[in-house]
Amino acid sequence: MIKRHLPFAAVAVLALVAAPLLLEPFRLGLLAKYLCYAIVALGIGLAWGKGGMLTLGQGVFFGLGGYSMAMYLKLTEGGGLPDFMVWSGVEKLPALWVPFANPVFAVTMAVLGPVAIALILGTLVFRQRVRGAYFAILTQALAAAMVILLVGQQGLTGGTNGMTNFFELFGQDLAEDSTQRVLYLVVATVLGVLYLLTRQLVNSRYGKLLVAVRDGEDRVRFLGYDPALVKTVTFAASAGMAGLAGALFVPVVGIISPALLGVVPSLELVVAVAVGGRHVLAGAVLGAVVMGYAKTAFSEQFADGWLYLQGALFILVMTLAPKGIAGIARGVAGRLRSARAT
């Protein structure tokens, strides 16, 4: 048992201790951003890899968490209305914004808001036995509708530009390197805790039931279980992770806009999970970090054609290793064990 946890412990120590010491502030901020995406990918790995629910709209829940935190940060600036409301001609703070002046309420809504929406959507959809490609298209349509809603509410959400220009969080200057270093440690710690909790869930009796629903939903129903309830709870858990990731993303990156939570970002997260290996939780996390790093590296070196390189990376991994990077690692580990036994 101890040997099985050694790789996780090594990576955790490297992330928490070595990264802040070895990376300059800009690169450390990029790594924190990748880890925010990794939290979303962890939820996708749970819902898709273990539960068989291909969700193409996680950007919606990510955006809800991000906008909740952004509203709080805007209200801490002081001086009256947020800047974009002044530009939009809003004269009084909307009632919807008032509760978000409380940080506890903002963080709570960043998580519980996505969970509540996922519970309602999952109850309505899974009770009607909607699954497979139909469920994926439905979640994708939800992401598209969310973008239209946010863009159309200029006075409430900042419209196309979203919200930016955040200056402090809990009294700490966000421009300071020390604050960004603390934010990185918080993001890395949250990711580690969520990974351990999700892994424990997957290894529990509920996790085995979830996999059984994925592989034979009708058989599970005939055995007396409720597949709709199992899938709804899992879908809600993945939504909560995405919302929390969005709340952490805003102070780390300094912006939230509809462009970060639409159809394309949601698809990119699914692609990242597929590259890492959707059937392994660690693979989903690794895929998000690898794809985030590749996107940055390719865009820096090849400004005109980095999208083609990113697509080529996805095609190459999926062609040579359909089970992703985690599948390659498992295959190598299996060969090494066989060689030792021989």
Side-chain angles (χ1 to χ4, degrees):
M1 181 64 69
I2 296 177
K3 290 183 178 181
R4 290 178 57 186
H5 289 86
L6 283 178
F8 173 81
V11 173
V13 171
L14 184 65
L16 289 175
V17 179
L21 297 176
L22 299 177
L23 298 178
E24 60 185 31
F26 174 71
R27 297 297 172 183
L28 188 65
L30 287 178
L31 180 57
K33 182 176 74 170
Y34 305 154
L35 295 185
C36 290
Y37 288 140
I39 295 175
V40 187
L42 181 64
I44 295 176
L46 176 65
W48 182 30
K50 301 300 181 181
M53 295 171 282
L54 177 57
T55 170
L56 302 180
Q58 290 299 94
V60 173
F61 308 121
F62 180 83
L64 288 173
Y67 272 93
S68 296
M69 178 58 72
M71 291 164 73
Y72 164 71
L73 294 177
K74 277 297 181 186
L75 292 175
T76 60
E77 295 176 1
L81 294 174
D83 47 11
F84 70 90
M85 288 188 183
V86 177
W87 305 333
S88 301
V90 178
E91 299 180 354
K92 183 180 179 181
L93 186 68
L96 177 65
W97 274 67
V98 174
F100 287 90
N102 187 316
V104 176
F105 180 85
V107 174
T108 301
M109 286 303 299
V111 178
L112 294 187
V115 169
I117 292 176
L119 285 174
I120 295 172
L121 180 63
T123 301
L124 295 175
V125 170
F126 296 133
R127 291 294 177 189
Q128 300 299 320
R129 302 186 184 181
V130 177
R131 51 188 166 181
Y134 300 102
F135 175 74
I137 294 172
L138 180 63
T139 56
Q140 189 178 50
L142 182 64
M146 185 68 174
V147 170
I148 295 173
L149 177 64
L150 292 174
V151 171
Q153 300 297 320
Q154 175 74 32
L156 282 175
T157 64
T160 305
N161 296 324
M163 302 184 205
T164 186
N165 294 329
F166 308 116
F167 300 107
E168 64 177 41
L169 173 65
F170 303 138
Q172 302 299 314
D173 187 359
L174 287 173
E176 292 290 336
D177 293 342
S178 58
T179 304
Q180 289 298 317
R181 191 176 297 111
V182 171
L183 283 174
Y184 165 78
L185 293 175
V186 170
V187 173
T189 302
V190 169
L191 174 60
V193 171
L194 287 177
Y195 172 79
L196 291 176
L197 291 176
T198 305
R199 182 171 177 175
Q200 183 65 30
L201 178 67
V202 169
N203 292 331
S204 67
R205 181 180 178 182
Y206 176 85
K208 294 178 174 60
L209 181 60
L210 178 63
V211 173
V213 170
R214 179 196 68 187
D215 296 338
E217 182 173 337
D218 293 331
R219 293 183 180 181
V220 172
R221 184 179 294 107
F222 293 149
L223 290 174
Y225 294 98
D226 186 357
L229 178 61
V230 175
K231 295 168 71 173
T232 299
V233 172
T234 302
F235 184 47
S238 69
M241 292 184 199
L244 181 57
L248 295 170
F249 178 89
V250 170
V252 168
V253 180
I255 187 174
I256 186 69
S257 70
L260 296 170
L261 53 102
V263 174
V264 173
S266 298
L267 288 174
E268 287 180 345
L269 287 168
V270 172
V271 168
V273 173
V275 168
R278 66 185 178 97
H279 294 296
V280 182
L281 295 177
V285 173
L286 178 62
V289 175
V290 168
M291 291 298 287
Y293 175 78
K295 184 175 182 179
T296 300
F298 291 156
S299 61
E300 289 177 346
Q301 299 297 324
F302 308 98
D304 296 329
W306 66 272
L307 281 174
Y308 298 104
L309 294 175
Q310 188 180 22
L313 174 63
F314 171 64
I315 294 173
L316 183 64
V317 173
M318 289 297 96
T319 301
L320 299 180
K323 294 183 179 180
I325 298 174
I328 298 176
R330 282 189 166 184
V332 172
R335 292 189 184 93
L336 290 176
R337 285 194 297 268
S338 299
R340 289 198 196 98
T342 302

